[in-house]
Every structure is written in structure tokens, then in C-alpha cells.
Amino acid sequence: MAASLSKTISGWGRYPVAESILIRPEKIPQVCILGEEHLICRGQGRSYGDAAISSQGRVILTERLNRFLAFDNATGVLTAEAGVTLAEILETFVPRGWFPPVTPGTQYVSLGGAIAADVHGKNHHHKGAFAAHVIELELILADGRRQRCSPNQNEALFWATVGGMGLTGIITEVSFRLMPIETAAIMARNYTAPGLETIFKWLEDTEHDDQYSVAWLDCAGRSHQLGRGVLMVGHHAVRDELPGDWEEPLRFHPKQPKNVPFDLPAFILNQVTVAAFNERYYRRQGSKKGPFLTDYSEFFYPLDTLDHWNRLYGKRGFLQYQAAIPEPHTYEGIRRLLERLARSGQASFLAVLKRLGSGNAAPLSFPLAGYTLALDLPMGGEKVLNLLQQLDEIVIDYGGRVYLAKDARLSPESLRAMYPRLGEWQQVKQVIDPEERFQSDLSRRLQLTGAS
């Protein structure tokens, strides 16, 4: 039987928190629809806000539903239970010459979570979001039926589930296509840019582009240094790019993660300390002129080298704000966001800019053709919440949107302005879940399910 307990949980940002009843099934047959209760699934808890917590229902933990079911070595198609993590896939399949076609900034995300948030990575402008590589998935619907869907079968349900934040049903199985690689190494190159304009220019030209690209920005910069940063690009190294003494090209020896053993005091992260860190990081990354070889873990998942890195923001937690600004006014919109942040005096420890390609058919999928900016801000009460509401207004002015997987405070009104296809998603939700069995604190806050 599935274990059950009551526990206070949160998203990765540790804000907000909620007392939730947790159910941990060991096998798919134990996953069932319970009476009239509201349900939401939770994989690794790496969504930042309240998407996978519920103060008015039960939370189904999928962490033990993590079995590999089938793999075709000729096509790279993997079928697995939805609780399987990217970390487990990497450990098993990189030595065999396969890699996920899309990966976010952490490997500790489940397949179900990757679909529910339609995660994207440093190659969205080339490969799209995770859903672009999903062949089929299976759901347990609100009435208990198991339903398969794909881009070609039960399409409306498939695309409502992609980016649907777990509100269409319980994802049980996923089939998707891995891509072949020759080595576990990344051939990388860094470019230091004096300001935001240069960063944008480099992200868009073929000379600086590669398989993967991402820019770190120094939000502490002012005036002409606003948005100065480091463009980091790379590709999966082929065997010919490795030195002759490099043994076992598909294996690497990961470093033991360092642990953040306690919550840092709130005063540690301020404008002075963040500015000092940014200066050091800018110079250190800029010294890696390259091209240079690094293992995929350091390139894709630098924060995973710190266990419990969210403790760096103290007991109050933090808010990650990730917004997408569409073309053709992306530069102007991103600059306005950075200028507003600079005037606020708030310190963003992390600021990342990525180029996005075209969006997909999912009404609630986040990426759209343009750029996305992600910021981390320590939770500082109403001052921070008011700042982020002002950033929302800028995003709406430019026809952009906020990423629901990172959100903890967006208003229902802003959501509707950012996601004009919300009504399409709600129509599918009404058909497959008319009693609104699948709910979360996020869905109630945003009135996604009609419950206030």
C-alpha cells in the first residue's frame, strides 16, 4: 500500500510553505484517485513556488515510480515511469552514448515534472522545449482511466498536459527520444561582454552561436555596464576533439557535491556582497578564453555541485523570477527589466539570459520566440513582491509572460494577460476533470481551476 503522512513542504524557493498530506506509492497500480479529495503530483520538488504543494488536498509523491521500462538502442527511444529523473537517465545512458535532447539547469527533475513544466534548456533556439522530443505519455485521469496521448493521438489532452503543471492528471509513463553523443565532455568557450547590447549581438550571430548558449549577467552593473556579463557556449565534444590520452570518452568522474549545512543569515546577501561576488565571477569566467573541455555536469548543472544551495537565501527563502520577452522588442524589454531591478536596490545573486526559439502548441507552455531572463531575489516581504509586480507590468507591456514553474506570487489578472490561450487549456480541463479533482496551491492562487 502507499504510505501516507502529513508534512510541511515547499517548492525549491522555500516560499511559500504549506502543510500537506503526502502519499508515496511504490508502484503504478497503487496510484489511485481517492474519493472526492483534491490531488496534485510532486516529483523532485524542483519547481520553485507552489505548483507541487497543496494545503487543501493530497500530494502524490512519484519519486519511487522510477523504473526504466524499455529502450531502443537503434532509435534512442526510452520509455520510463514518470518518476525517473534526468540524473538517473544520465548515469545510465551517457556511458552508452546517449543524452537527453533538452535539459534544464538541474538534473534532479523527474520526467513527469519536465513535461508538466515543459522545461527548456540552453538549446531552445535549436531544439525547442522538452515536449518536442516526447513521443507518447500515459495519464491517469480524474475518473481513474489510464489514457495515452501524443502529438498525434488525443492531441488536445497531450498539449494541455505539456506545461499544464500537473493539473490534467497523473503522468505515469513517458516515451521520448534521446540523442547520440560520442563523449561525455563539452567543448566550451566563454566570452566576456562589457554590456547588454554586446551580449545580445553575440547571442544572435553565428560566429558566437553553438549547440548550447547562455549568458550570465551582472545585475549590479550601472550605466554603460548594465547587463555586462559572460556568454558561455558549447557543444558535445566529438572524439577527435579529445586529447590523445583521454581514456574512456563516455565516462567521467563527478565531483562529490558540497553541502550547504545550514541557512545563511539574511544579511549575508546584500548589494555589497552580491556586487563583490559578481565582480569575481565575471573575472574568473572571463579568464577561461577557450576553447576548453569540461564535463557535461559542470557545463549544464553548476548549481547541482552544492547540495541544498537554496539554503544560501536563509529561512525566508527566495523568489525566482523568470520572464520571456518576445521579438521584435526583446532587447528593449530586457533592458527595462534590468533598469527597474537596478533602481530597486534589490540584489540578484543569479541572472541568466537565454535565447528562445518558436513556441509549441501547448497553451500554457512558457517559451516563445525571443529571450528569457531569470533572476533570484531573497524573499524580503512586500518590498520584493511589489517590485516583481512592477516587473510583471513591464513584461505584459511587451507581450511576454512569466514561467509558472518558477512562480510563487503572480496574480490571476496578470496570468490572463500573459497567457492569451488560457481559455483553450481550461476547455480541455473542463472536459477531462469537470469536478476539478487535480488542484494545487498554484492553481487556486491563479484561479486556474475556477477555485478561489
Side-chain angles (χ1 to χ4, degrees):
M1 296 294 293
S4 176
L5 73 156
S6 181
K7 186 178 180 181
T8 299
I9 60 173
S10 70
W12 189 247
R14 306 176 76 192
Y15 170 87
V17 298
E19 184 76 15
S20 301
I21 298 174
L22 310 181
I23 302 171
R24 180 183 287 127
E26 300 286 336
K27 298 180 179 179
I28 294 293
Q30 294 179 349
V31 179
C32 59
I33 306 301
L34 305 171
E36 301 299 319
E37 293 176 307
H38 297 148
L39 303 170
I40 195 68
C41 281
R42 179 183 176 94
Q44 295 293 302
R46 288 298 178 121
S47 56
Y48 281 67
D50 49 2
I53 64 177
S54 181
S55 55
Q56 300 178 35
R58 293 179 181 254
V59 177
I60 299 176
L61 305 178
T62 65
E63 56 193 17
R64 295 188 180 174
L65 308 178
N66 64 341
R67 296 163 182 85
F68 295 125
L69 302 176
F71 180 67
D72 187 332
N73 198 57
T75 64
V77 174
L78 171 65
T79 300
E81 292 180 342
V84 167
T85 65
L86 292 186
E88 291 165 333
I89 292 170
L90 291 163
E91 181 181 2
T92 302
F93 289 96
V94 166
R96 299 169 66 172
W98 298 96
F99 201 85
V102 169
T103 178
T106 177
Q107 61 192 308
Y108 302 118
V109 59
S110 68
L111 289 178
I115 291 171
D118 198 19
V119 297
H120 59 280
K122 298 173 176 140
N123 60 345
H124 188 272
H125 58 305
H126 292 308
K127 292 287 189 178
F130 191 82
H133 309 277
V134 174
I135 297 170
E136 186 182 62
L137 59 87
E138 182 187 74
L139 287 167
I140 297 179
L141 301 180
D143 60 6
R145 287 182 297 130
R146 294 174 72 159
Q147 180 70 65
R148 291 188 176 274
C149 58
S150 74
N152 303 310
Q153 177 187 11
N154 298 314
E155 299 98 322
L157 176 58
F158 177 83
W159 290 115
T161 301
V162 169
M165 306 310 295
L167 298 169
T168 59
I170 302 168
I171 303 174
T172 54
E173 293 182 13
V174 179
S175 294
F176 74 110
R177 196 182 305 276
L178 299 174
M179 67 177 187
I181 56 172
E182 294 186 19
T183 78
I186 300 292
M187 182 62 76
R189 185 186 292 270
N190 289 356
Y191 303 93
T192 53
L196 187 65
E197 187 173 358
T198 302
I199 286 282
F200 265 85
K201 177 183 176 182
W202 287 349
L203 279 167
E204 294 187 358
D205 68 37
T206 56
E207 179 184 349
H208 294 83
D209 192 23
D210 207 331
Q211 208 172 358
Y212 303 96
S213 61
V214 64
W216 169 86
L217 303 182
D218 179 5
C219 288
R222 297 292 190 273
S223 186
H224 65 281
Q225 285 191 332
L226 180 73
R228 73 168 183 168
V230 181
L231 174 63
M232 295 168 274
V233 303
H235 60 266
H236 293 280
V238 298
R239 283 187 175 90
D240 289 346
E241 292 178 300
L242 301 185
D245 59 350
W246 193 296
E247 299 179 357
E248 298 183 292
L250 286 168
R251 295 190 179 276
F252 79 103
H253 302 286
K255 298 177 182 177
Q256 186 66 27
K258 296 179 181 179
N259 186 41
V260 180
F262 55 84
D263 299 319
L264 263 63
F267 67 84
I268 294 293
L269 289 182
N270 54 56
Q271 280 186 291
V272 174
T273 58
V274 169
F277 170 85
N278 286 359
E279 181 66 30
R280 182 170 178 267
Y281 186 84
Y282 180 77
R283 294 184 181 279
R284 181 163 62 89
Q285 293 299 323
S287 67
K288 301 177 182 178
K289 298 298 182 184
F292 59 92
L293 286 169
T294 184
D295 68 65
Y296 73 80
S297 183
E298 290 188 9
F299 183 80
F300 290 108
Y301 316 116
L303 288 175
D304 285 350
T305 60
L306 282 178
D307 279 343
H308 305 294
W309 65 262
N310 52 357
R311 292 174 177 169
L312 295 172
Y313 292 90
K315 291 183 178 179
R316 291 184 298 178
F318 69 102
L319 297 162
Q320 181 161 112
Y321 187 84
Q322 184 168 1
I325 303 292
E327 299 171 340
H329 304 296
T330 302
Y331 172 77
E332 180 184 342
I334 296 294
R335 186 173 183 88
R336 279 190 61 191
L337 290 173
L338 291 174
E339 288 172 341
R340 184 63 193 88
L341 177 67
R343 290 198 305 271
S344 74
Q346 295 293 322
S348 178
F349 185 68
L350 182 71
V352 173
L353 181 71
K354 289 185 297 219
R355 186 180 176 187
L356 298 175
S358 298
N360 57 30
L364 294 186
S365 181
F366 168 72
L368 43 73
Y371 283 79
T372 175
L373 175 68
L375 306 167
D376 281 356
L377 296 171
M379 179 55 193
E382 290 300 318
K383 183 177 180 181
V384 171
L385 295 175
N386 290 338
L387 168 64
L388 296 185
Q389 185 172 349
Q390 293 169 27
L391 297 187
D392 289 343
E393 294 170 2
I394 296 173
V395 171
I396 292 171
D397 284 346
Y398 286 91
R401 59 185 59 154
V402 164
Y403 193 13
L404 298 185
K406 305 292 182 71
D407 174 56
R409 31 61 52 197
L410 194 68
S411 71
E413 295 76 21
S414 294
L415 172 81
R416 281 150 180 77
M418 294 175 177
Y419 287 88
R421 297 178 59 204
L422 174 62
E424 297 177 38
W425 182 88
Q426 289 177 321
Q427 288 177 3
V428 178
K429 171 75 171 175
Q430 177 61 31
V431 171
I432 62 170
D433 187 12
E435 297 180 357
E436 299 177 349
R437 302 293 308 286
F438 293 103
Q439 294 187 21
S440 63
D441 282 2
L442 176 141
S443 72
R444 288 185 282 269
R445 169 172 57 83
L446 293 176
Q447 299 174 15
L448 278 169
T449 59
S452 59

